[in-house]
Amino acid sequence: MKDSNCIFCKIIDGQIPSAKVYEDDKMLVFKDIEPKAKVHLLAIGKDHFKLLSEMDESRAELVKYMLCKIPQIAKDNGLINGYRLIINQGDDAGQTVFHLHIHILGGEPLPW
Ligand code: 5GP
Ligand code: ZN
């Protein structure tokens, strides 16, 4: 399912351009437009849902799929010395795009 008002759904559809680094039938990984580390990628599922708090068994399968793919994608993007995954949930975390995404940050030592 897609949400026609969602910028990440528009990126999936190609209506908004992005620097894609990996794509298959279930997920897309692209470069964050405002990188917070030397390497900052965003992994999104091709099924739209807004929040981690909307997780259910089927959505968890998609997130599991993404987590299984991310180590190889990270390696392919030069993250050989470690990286950090972040999911922001809601306002206090500063979530700004309401299509669940996993930040992949690295390419340098990260401040806590
Ligand atoms: P959040 O704060 O919701 O966890 O993260 C949203 C992220 O999406 C931010 O790091 C922001 O820079 C990134 N972002 C927002 N709009 C776009 C866009 O149009 N293209 C790309 N590549 N990244 C975006
Ligand atoms: Zn979406």
Side-chain angles (χ1 to χ4, degrees), residues 1-4 6-15 44 47-48 99:
M1 280 277 280
K2 296 270 161 38
D3 176 336
S4 55
C6 168
I7 57 170
F8 285 178
C9 285
K10 288 181 181 170
I11 283 175
I12 291 166
D13 283 350
Q15 291 177 50
I44 62 177
D47 251 339
H48 173 92
H99 176 131

XYZ file of all heavy atoms in Angstrom, residues 1-4 6-15 44 47-48 99:
144
model
N 0.838 -1.213 0.000
C 0.000 0.000 0.000
C 0.870 1.260 0.000
O 1.873 1.327 0.681
C -0.900 0.028 1.254
C -2.124 -0.846 1.148
S -3.460 -0.043 0.275
C -4.160 1.008 1.563
N 0.465 2.234 -0.779
C 1.188 3.503 -0.854
C 0.299 4.614 -0.303
O -0.925 4.506 -0.308
C 1.538 3.829 -2.315
C 2.498 2.828 -2.959
C 3.925 3.230 -2.756
C 4.944 2.125 -2.942
N 4.687 1.183 -4.012
N 0.938 5.697 0.163
C 0.209 6.893 0.589
C 0.632 8.005 -0.368
O 1.810 8.388 -0.399
C 0.574 7.217 2.043
C -0.075 8.507 2.527
O -0.413 9.372 1.689
O -0.224 8.652 3.744
N -0.321 8.524 -1.127
C 0.021 9.479 -2.191
C 0.560 10.799 -1.652
O 1.142 11.584 -2.403
C -1.193 9.727 -3.082
O -2.287 10.145 -2.291
N 2.833 10.850 0.817
C 4.065 10.526 1.552
C 5.283 10.710 0.650
O 5.345 10.144 -0.455
C 3.963 9.087 2.041
S 5.499 8.407 2.650
N 6.271 11.484 1.138
C 7.430 11.751 0.267
C 8.249 10.477 0.008
O 8.812 10.322 -1.077
C 8.351 12.882 0.797
C 8.867 12.614 2.180
C 7.667 14.227 0.740
C 9.957 13.603 2.576
N 8.301 9.569 0.973
C 9.064 8.343 0.727
C 8.328 7.426 -0.254
O 8.976 6.744 -1.067
C 9.410 7.624 2.033
C 10.526 8.300 2.816
C 10.931 7.780 4.051
C 11.176 9.426 2.350
C 11.955 8.382 4.778
C 12.202 10.045 3.071
C 12.590 9.510 4.290
N 6.989 7.416 -0.228
C 6.250 6.673 -1.265
C 6.514 7.288 -2.639
O 6.643 6.561 -3.637
C 4.750 6.659 -0.960
S 4.288 5.516 0.375
N 6.637 8.619 -2.671
C 6.935 9.284 -3.950
C 8.347 8.942 -4.424
O 8.598 8.830 -5.626
C 6.772 10.802 -3.818
C 5.303 11.213 -3.709
C 5.181 12.724 -3.602
C 3.705 13.112 -3.467
N 3.515 14.510 -3.120
N 9.266 8.787 -3.492
C 10.627 8.356 -3.860
C 10.581 6.940 -4.429
O 11.216 6.641 -5.450
C 11.578 8.487 -2.644
C 11.955 9.971 -2.453
C 12.823 7.618 -2.821
C 12.789 10.273 -1.227
N 9.790 6.052 -3.797
C 9.648 4.676 -4.304
C 9.097 4.696 -5.730
O 9.577 3.987 -6.615
C 8.734 3.846 -3.373
C 9.422 3.590 -2.024
C 8.339 2.517 -4.026
C 8.502 3.077 -0.929
N 8.104 5.549 -5.962
C 7.468 5.632 -7.283
C 8.311 6.374 -8.315
O 7.956 6.399 -9.493
C 6.128 6.380 -7.177
C 5.057 5.486 -6.595
O 5.315 4.283 -6.464
O 3.971 5.997 -6.266
N 9.380 7.041 -7.864
C 10.210 7.814 -8.782
C 9.683 9.213 -9.055
O 10.236 9.942 -9.884
N 8.604 9.607 -8.356
C 8.072 10.978 -8.532
C 9.021 12.010 -7.939
O 9.051 13.161 -8.363
C 6.715 11.122 -7.831
C 5.590 10.349 -8.460
C 4.317 10.503 -7.627
O 3.919 11.600 -7.284
N 3.716 9.390 -7.278
N 13.988 1.896 3.477
C 12.531 1.930 3.620
C 11.928 0.687 2.979
O 12.454 0.144 2.012
C 11.901 3.212 3.005
C 12.153 3.319 1.504
C 12.416 4.456 3.717
C 11.471 4.532 0.861
N 6.074 -1.105 1.565
C 4.729 -1.006 2.134
C 4.705 0.195 3.063
O 5.535 0.285 3.973
C 4.404 -2.260 2.947
C 3.366 -3.104 2.251
O 2.625 -2.574 1.401
O 3.299 -4.300 2.576
N 3.758 1.100 2.835
C 3.707 2.314 3.650
C 3.067 2.044 5.005
O 1.947 1.557 5.083
C 2.893 3.399 2.936
C 2.656 4.615 3.783
N 3.512 5.697 3.767
C 1.707 4.897 4.707
C 3.077 6.601 4.633
N 1.980 6.139 5.215
N 6.894 7.569 7.288
C 6.947 6.299 6.562
C 8.127 5.595 7.222
O 9.256 6.106 7.157
C 7.183 6.555 5.067
C 7.341 5.316 4.224
N 6.628 5.123 3.043
C 8.136 4.233 4.356
C 6.981 3.958 2.505
N 7.911 3.403 3.282
